[in-house]
Amino acid sequence: AQDHKRVGDGDSGANTGGMGAYAPAPIVTPELIQTVMKDVFHPAVEGLSRMGSPYQGVLYAGLMIVRSTPFVLEFNARFGDPETQVVLPLLQADLLDVIEAVVEHRLDQLAVKWHAQSAVCVVMTSKGYPGPYESGTTIHGLGDGAQETMVFHAGTKHQGANVVTAGGRVLGITGIGPDLATAREQAYHTVRKIRFDGCHFRSDIAHRALTAHLM
């Protein structure tokens, strides 16, 4: 998955927790996957085991790819956000089955398969994010989006009969389709149906990947 950290279009403005993501990322070739496994994940897991702390769980690597060479920025013992919102919708297996297999030391007996589709997530934020932001604004249109989308609530709460904003990153809208362009179209179709005062989102999520693909 590829995320977008800057708050504004064209990777402008302040860094955020993530304004959107897409998967699978075209930059990740089969050759790059092999390199990452060999040079990043295997040494990390084997090193932990040698230290007497064999690792079980999610090991999420934040990478920067420079001329086909991966550089590790961080490891997280959890899924990344908003990358999770584009990775897990493509998982064919039941996530609970995968987790139980890890806990019970039988992951090698489980075939973890993925849908041959793409997913694009667009994050909708409150006015002012990632700085001081407004909260308590009523959200409209939550049920009006495309069928091929999933709406993840990040900073919302119920206030009477309404759903209102309650955080900087308010919603993650994930579109799913047979290719990246279709998934992106689905996501933005739903984003434009949802309204709340001061709403902000980037209009160029996955644009660079689509441009590179067309070139």
Side-chain angles (χ1 to χ4, degrees), residues 23-24 90 115-119 148 175-184 186:
L90 302 181
H115 294 291
Q117 293 179 299
S118 294
E148 297 81 4
I176 301 167
D179 51 58
L180 205 56
T182 304
R184 184 176 187 271
Q186 297 292 347

Side-chain angles (χ1 to χ4, degrees), residues 176-197:
I176 301 167
D179 51 58
L180 205 56
T182 304
R184 184 176 187 271
E185 180 181 333
Q186 297 292 347
Y188 277 110
H189 176 83
T190 296
V191 165
R192 293 185 180 97
K193 294 288 185 179
I194 298 173
R195 308 171 307 284
F196 56 89
D197 289 345

Side-chain angles (χ1 to χ4, degrees), residues 101-121:
V102 171
V103 172
E104 297 168 3
H105 300 279
R106 53 177 179 82
L107 187 59
D108 59 331
Q109 302 170 27
L110 185 69
V112 180
K113 297 182 179 180
W114 302 86
H115 294 291
Q117 293 179 299
S118 294
V120 173
C121 178

Side-chain angles (χ1 to χ4, degrees), residues 11 13 17 19 51 53 61 94 102 105 109 125-126 145-146 154 165 174 187 189 197 201 203 212:
D11 292 326
M19 292 298 297
M51 292 169 61
S53 301
D94 189 314
V102 171
H105 300 279
Q109 302 170 27
T125 74
S126 295
T165 63
T174 297
H189 176 83
D197 289 345
F201 59 88
S203 64

Side-chain angles (χ1 to χ4, degrees), residues 3-5 13 20 32 46-47 79 82 116 140 164 166 173 175 188 194:
D3 70 342
H4 297 67
K5 290 296 187 188
L32 180 58
E46 290 166 1
F79 286 111
H140 303 278
V164 302
I173 313 301
Y188 277 110
I194 298 173

Side-chain angles (χ1 to χ4, degrees):
Q2 170 73 52
D3 70 342
H4 297 67
K5 290 296 187 188
R6 298 285 184 172
V7 71
D9 286 355
D11 292 326
S12 61
N15 267 323
T16 72
M19 292 298 297
Y22 58 91
I27 192 175
V28 183
T29 62
E31 293 76 21
L32 180 58
I33 290 175
Q34 289 183 357
T35 299
V36 170
M37 293 300 291
K38 179 175 67 72
D39 295 343
V40 177
F41 283 110
H42 287 170
V45 172
E46 290 166 1
L48 287 167
S49 183
R50 285 196 303 271
M51 292 169 61
S53 301
Y55 187 79
Q56 291 175 263
V58 174
L59 187 63
Y60 191 98
L63 306 174
M64 184 171 288
I65 311 301
V66 181
R67 290 186 290 276
S68 299
T69 301
F71 291 85
V72 179
L73 299 179
E74 62 178 356
F75 281 111
N76 286 315
R78 57 169 176 79
F79 286 111
D81 174 25
E83 296 93 331
T84 307
Q85 284 93 309
V86 293
V87 172
L88 291 187
L90 302 181
L91 180 65
Q92 275 193 29
D94 189 314
L95 179 62
L96 181 58
D97 291 340
V98 178
I99 292 171
E100 288 180 340
V102 171
V103 172
E104 297 168 3
H105 300 279
R106 53 177 179 82
L107 187 59
D108 59 331
Q109 302 170 27
L110 185 69
V112 180
K113 297 182 179 180
W114 302 86
H115 294 291
Q117 293 179 299
S118 294
V120 173
C121 178
V122 180
V123 172
M124 304 180 73
T125 74
S126 295
K127 181 180 180 180
Y129 177 81
Y133 53 80
E134 302 174 358
S135 292
T137 303
T138 301
I139 304 171
H140 303 278
L142 284 171
D144 299 336
Q147 186 174 358
E148 297 81 4
T149 55
M150 305 174 73
V151 177
F152 294 94
H153 289 242
T156 68
K157 67 178 182 180
H158 282 283
Q159 192 172 80
N162 298 321
V163 177
V164 302
T165 63
R169 288 191 292 170
V170 177
L171 300 167
I173 313 301
T174 297
I176 301 167
D179 51 58
L180 205 56
T182 304
R184 184 176 187 271
E185 180 181 333
Q186 297 292 347
Y188 277 110
H189 176 83
T190 296
V191 165
R192 293 185 180 97
K193 294 288 185 179
I194 298 173
R195 308 171 307 284
F196 56 89
D197 289 345
C199 169
H200 170 72
F201 59 88
R202 282 184 58 162
S203 64
D204 63 347
I205 301 300
H207 174 74
R208 183 180 297 175
L210 290 169
T211 303
H213 179 69
L214 292 173
M215 294 171 63

